[in-house]
Amino acid sequence: QVQLVESGGGLVQAGGSLILSCSASGRSFSSYSMGWFRQAPGKEREFVAAISRGGRTTNYADSVKGRFTMSRANNENKAYLQMNTLEPSDTALYYCAARLAPPYMTSQRQADYSEWGQGTQVTVSS
């Protein structure tokens, strides 16, 4: 089991950038596929990005492709979400999630993830 803590959120102008971090404590971080999800006010939580255990496979929502990049550093027990060219529609609470998974596998399904952080707020002003 891992415990997840997100950081790096904040207020940024449209067109700007932020890097979100997800720090994991516990055992065997490299056994977990990781994901980022977000929930905007009045909307359901949605998939943003996912990365496989070793970082070789990534998967993105269409709305963030080409703007967001997910990565991980297993030696640091961390996952990252680099967000560029931010838009007001990216405003949301961003969650990090983890799932035990085979190598090279990712998932967009929230139900596949067993561990969740508390979230970090990202606000993009126009």
Side-chain angles (χ1 to χ4, degrees):
Q1 188 175 2
V2 292
Q3 293 78 45
L4 305 175
V5 178
E6 303 94 336
S7 61
L11 174 64
V12 64
Q13 288 188 333
S17 298
L18 280 175
I19 301 176
L20 304 185
S21 298
C22 175
S23 296
S25 60
R27 297 169 56 183
S28 304
F29 177 69
S30 60
S31 298
Y32 289 82
S33 170
M34 302 297 294
W36 284 98
F37 294 80
R38 67 186 182 186
Q39 187 168 19
K43 295 187 177 181
E44 294 187 352
R45 189 161 57 184
E46 65 178 4
F47 169 76
V48 175
I51 192 167
S52 59
R53 287 168 45 176
R56 191 168 295 186
T57 305
T58 53
N59 191 11
Y60 298 94
D62 288 343
S63 59
V64 306
K65 276 181 184 176
R67 300 188 299 122
F68 290 11
T69 302
M70 187 170 184
S71 61
R72 66 188 295 161
N74 285 348
N75 61 334
E76 298 177 0
N77 282 14
K78 288 187 175 182
Y80 301 96
L81 185 68
Q82 170 74 52
M83 305 187 295
N84 297 328
T85 320
L86 283 160
E87 304 168 353
S89 58
D90 295 317
T91 295
L93 188 61
Y94 283 72
Y95 296 92
C96 174
R99 62 184 286 258
L100 288 169
Y104 312 118
M105 297 295 291
T106 63
S107 175
Q108 298 186 18
R109 297 178 65 244
Q110 296 183 50
D112 286 342
Y113 291 83
S114 57
E115 313 298 332
W116 292 82
Q118 295 300 307
T120 185
Q121 178 68 38
V122 173
T123 302
V124 184
S125 63
S126 57

